[in-house]
Amino acid sequence: SQQGEEDPQALSIQEGENATMNCSYKTSINNLQWYRQNSGRGLVHLILIRSNEREKHSGRLRVTLDTSKKSSSLLITASRAADTASYFCATAIQGAQKLVFGQGTRLTINP
Amino acid sequence: EAQVTQNPRYLITVTGKKLTVTCSQNMNHEYMSWYRQDPGLGLRQIYYSMNVEVTDKGDVPEGYKVSRKEKRNFPLILESPSPNQTSLYFCASSWRTGTYNEQFFGPGTRLTVL
């Protein structure tokens, strides 16, 4: 099965609310990265958290990493219509030049 | 503008007709890689390259070839395309430490093999 699995697969919220997406993985990692993809377009890097970090912020984004549970979460606060996109977590496998992506969470922000 | 470019963006071809998808980056990145994206499967790595003349297989290399003769270019070659290679393909680049840093993605190439 996939190294990175995301939950939920789809999320629909009202503009202004917070959105939380979760990612679980199986093996040891060097870092975990979150990307955004607007429909059928290229992926845009959002944030990278290293295995020795527990929390990281970037603007309205907050990422947490729990290596003991092999899980991460992405929180988007005060959501906007422009945040509508698919969000992917990607784990950089320790000791290998491999970035393994989850299946993504489809986020819809309703005006 | 720092970017990764791919050509063509859209391609419809027939089974067995050799094709090349080009990828070029202008950020002087050592690391480049190719992914394919399929519904329900996320992105899967096809090949990657740590530097010029250094390439290695990813998770799904069967049916694909790559070359890295210049630092900026990393073409993906399908010698004999088959319908199961119909997919959305992305090229990405990064610095010397590869996946230990953020990846910069191209806009994607949508390939249909009939």
Side-chain angles (χ1 to χ4, degrees):
Chain A
S1 62
Q2 295 276 55
Q3 156 75 339
E5 299 199 358
E6 296 179 62
D7 171 58
Q9 292 188 2
L11 179 61
S12 181
I13 62 174
Q14 295 300 121
E15 195 165 19
E17 294 179 339
N18 295 341
T20 299
M21 289 158 269
N22 302 296
C23 172
S24 62
Y25 59 92
K26 293 181 169 59
T27 63
S28 296
I29 62 172
N30 174 273
N31 65 70
L32 188 145
Q33 304 176 29
W34 286 91
Y35 289 83
R36 184 185 74 228
Q37 183 182 34
N38 291 90
S39 183
R41 301 177 72 174
L43 281 77
V44 175
H45 181 266
L46 296 175
I47 197 164
L48 181 154
I49 186 165
R50 303 198 187 280
S51 59
N52 60 353
E53 297 175 311
R54 291 296 167 258
E55 187 171 312
K56 206 160 182 180
H57 297 254
S58 177
R60 293 184 296 113
L61 305 180
R62 182 174 80 100
V63 167
T64 61
L65 179 64
D66 187 335
T67 53
S68 67
K69 295 181 179 178
K70 291 186 165 57
S71 67
S72 174
S73 67
L74 170 68
L75 168 67
I76 303 174
T77 60
S79 63
R80 305 167 181 168
D83 295 328
T84 293
S86 291
Y87 291 81
F88 293 88
C89 71
T91 49
I93 307 301
Q94 198 168 66
Q97 279 298 333
K98 179 182 280 194
L99 196 63
V100 180
F101 284 80
Q103 296 180 32
T105 293
R106 174 70 189 164
L107 175 64
T108 302
I109 308 300
N110 302 304
Chain B
E1 180 190 353
Q3 60 183 346
V4 178
T5 56
Q6 295 180 226
N7 283 292
R9 295 290 314 281
Y10 302 90
L11 179 60
I12 300 175
T13 189
V14 296
T15 299
K17 187 176 181 182
K18 181 179 179 180
L19 66 92
T20 299
V21 183
T22 64
C23 172
S24 183
Q25 51 91 8
N26 62 1
M27 294 169 279
N28 202 33
H29 285 163
E30 287 84 3
Y31 180 89
M32 297 184 75
S33 62
W34 276 101
Y35 296 87
R36 60 178 289 174
Q37 184 177 27
D38 302 289
L41 295 176
L43 279 83
R44 294 177 292 166
Q45 190 179 50
I46 303 171
Y47 270 95
Y48 66 92
S49 170
M50 295 297 295
N51 213 326
V52 175
E53 301 292 1
V54 181
T55 63
D56 212 341
K57 296 177 181 178
D59 289 325
V60 288
E62 294 79 19
Y64 304 94
K65 285 175 57 177
V66 292
S67 69
R68 188 87 183 274
K69 297 189 185 336
E70 304 166 282
K71 196 173 187 179
R72 64 184 294 130
N73 297 323
F74 190 43
L76 179 70
I77 304 156
L78 285 72
E79 295 265 357
S80 183
S82 62
N84 65 11
Q85 292 179 297
T86 292
S87 188
L88 180 57
Y89 291 86
F90 290 101
C91 180
S93 71
S94 187
W95 292 279
R96 181 174 53 84
T97 48
T99 58
Y100 290 7
N101 281 291
E102 67 178 283
Q103 307 293 298
F104 292 80
F105 280 83
T109 294
R110 189 168 292 280
L111 172 66
T112 301
V113 183
L114 302 174

